[in-house]
């Protein structure tokens, strides 16, 4: 099975900061990676699919990059609404999906 | 409006069974793969199962294989999750989710339901 490892687990930042979250796959997943944002008590929201494609309606300050085994989610200028938990997800494996363990983005 | 609405959660004893439903609206249900994802209290997301648009292909996470069955009824635009031999570690919010593209069996999830809570406890 493909394992997904996110870093850091927790990130403290301020409004206006540029932040980057990393996701590593245990084997190559090409570009079959998605990023989600989840707020407490809510369902996850799709931000990025196929590693770098921005989902419709998602602000342009969100971007994704990478391929193979290493991927990043970047928020160019943090807004108050962006403090949440972020998950990566691979969908390359014929055995199904795997999520990363999550990165909690906190206000510094 | 594209919408998913789960139901069927509740309190069940260890070893018991439960059937979750997910009513879909606003899109051509039979054209998209659908999944169940769960989240234990205070924990991360765990994918549970996926079913193709036709219902002919299914995959399961190792943690639920042999105990859980995913199915769909396209005449009713409804996704199901039959859960048997439930254990305490199955306690979670269960979300249904829609695959983003009609072309891929495995794809990112663009629409999620609000979730239904399953508690396994004596």
């Amino acid at each position: 099975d493909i394992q997904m490892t996110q870093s850091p687990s927790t990130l403290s930042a301020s409004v206006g900061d540029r932040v980057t979250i990393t996701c590593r796959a245990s084997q190559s997943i090409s570009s079959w990676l998605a990023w989600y944002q989840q707020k407490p008590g809510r369902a996850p929201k799709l931000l990025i699919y196929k590693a770098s494609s921005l989902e419709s309606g998602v602000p342009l300050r969100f971007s994704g990059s990478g391929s193979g085994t290493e991927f990043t989610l970047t928020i160019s200028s943090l807004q108050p609404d962006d403090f949440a938990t972020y998950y990566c997800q691979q969908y390359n494996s014929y055995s199904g999906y795997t999520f990363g363990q999550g990165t909690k983005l906190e206000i510094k | 409006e594209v919408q998913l609405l789960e139901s069927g959660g509740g309190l069940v004893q260890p070893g018991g069974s439960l059937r979750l439903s997910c009513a879909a609206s606003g899109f051509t249900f039979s054209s998209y793969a659908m999944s169940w994802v769960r989240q234990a209290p205070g924990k991360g997301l765990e994918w549970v199962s996926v079913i193709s648009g036709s219902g002919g292909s299914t995959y399961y996470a190792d943690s639920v294989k042999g105990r859980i069955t995913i199915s769909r009824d396209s005449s009713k635009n409804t996704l199901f999750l039959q859960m048997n031999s439930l254990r305490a570690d199955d306690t979670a919010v269960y979300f249904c989710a829609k695959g983003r593209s009609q072309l891929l069996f495995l794809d990112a999830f663009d629409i999620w339901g609000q979730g239904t809570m399953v508690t396994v406890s004596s």
Side-chain angles (χ1 to χ4, degrees):
Chain A
D1 289 359
I2 299 176
Q3 308 302 317
M4 306 299 292
T5 304
Q6 283 182 236
S7 60
S9 296
T10 306
L11 180 57
S12 296
S14 302
V15 172
D17 284 354
R18 178 184 179 90
V19 299
T20 297
I21 299 169
T22 297
C23 183
R24 289 187 173 86
S26 59
Q27 64 189 73
S28 178
I29 57 170
S30 185
S31 296
W32 302 114
L33 185 104
W35 289 97
Y36 299 88
Q37 176 193 68
Q38 187 181 32
K39 296 181 179 179
R42 304 286 298 274
K45 174 187 175 183
L46 177 63
L47 301 174
I48 302 287
Y49 63 96
K50 211 171 178 187
S52 60
S53 295
L54 192 68
E55 176 68 350
S56 176
V58 174
L60 294 176
R61 63 182 180 273
F62 290 92
S63 64
S65 65
S67 65
T69 62
E70 186 149 341
F71 303 86
T72 58
L73 172 70
T74 299
I75 309 172
S76 60
S77 178
L78 273 175
Q79 300 301 301
D81 190 50
D82 299 339
F83 293 96
T85 299
Y86 292 84
Y87 294 93
C88 63
Q89 175 205 37
Q90 71 81 19
Y91 51 104
N92 175 78
S93 169
Y94 280 100
S95 63
Y97 299 86
T98 316
F99 287 95
Q101 80 278 16
T103 295
K104 186 175 183 180
L105 180 53
E106 299 179 329
I107 300 174
K108 185 184 287 184
Chain B
E1 180 190 4
V2 178
Q3 196 170 6
L4 299 173
L5 186 63
E6 302 95 337
S7 61
L11 175 64
V12 60
Q13 292 190 338
S17 298
L18 210 56
R19 190 195 200 200
L20 306 183
S21 299
C22 170
S25 59
F27 63 101
T28 306
F29 181 68
S30 61
S31 294
Y32 294 87
M34 298 290 296
S35 282
W36 288 96
V37 176
R38 68 185 181 183
Q39 187 168 36
K43 302 298 184 182
L45 301 171
E46 180 188 16
W47 169 76
V48 173
S49 183
V50 61
I51 186 168
S52 62
S54 66
S57 296
T58 58
Y59 290 159
Y60 297 92
D62 288 343
S63 60
V64 303
K65 209 170 286 184
R67 301 187 298 118
I68 284 180
T69 302
I70 191 171
S71 62
R72 63 194 299 160
D73 183 340
S74 290
S75 69
K76 297 181 180 177
N77 288 350
T78 303
L79 175 72
F80 301 102
L81 190 69
Q82 177 66 44
M83 303 189 294
N84 301 324
S85 303
L86 284 163
R87 312 184 303 221
D89 62 359
D90 293 316
T91 295
V93 174
Y94 284 73
F95 297 98
C96 61
K98 168 187 166 291
R100 188 182 175 279
S101 166
Q102 296 182 51
L103 300 177
L104 298 177
F105 177 30
L106 297 185
D107 201 355
F109 303 144
D110 63 341
I111 304 295
W112 295 65
Q114 86 291 346
T116 187
M117 183 71 203
V118 172
T119 302
V120 183
S121 176
S122 55

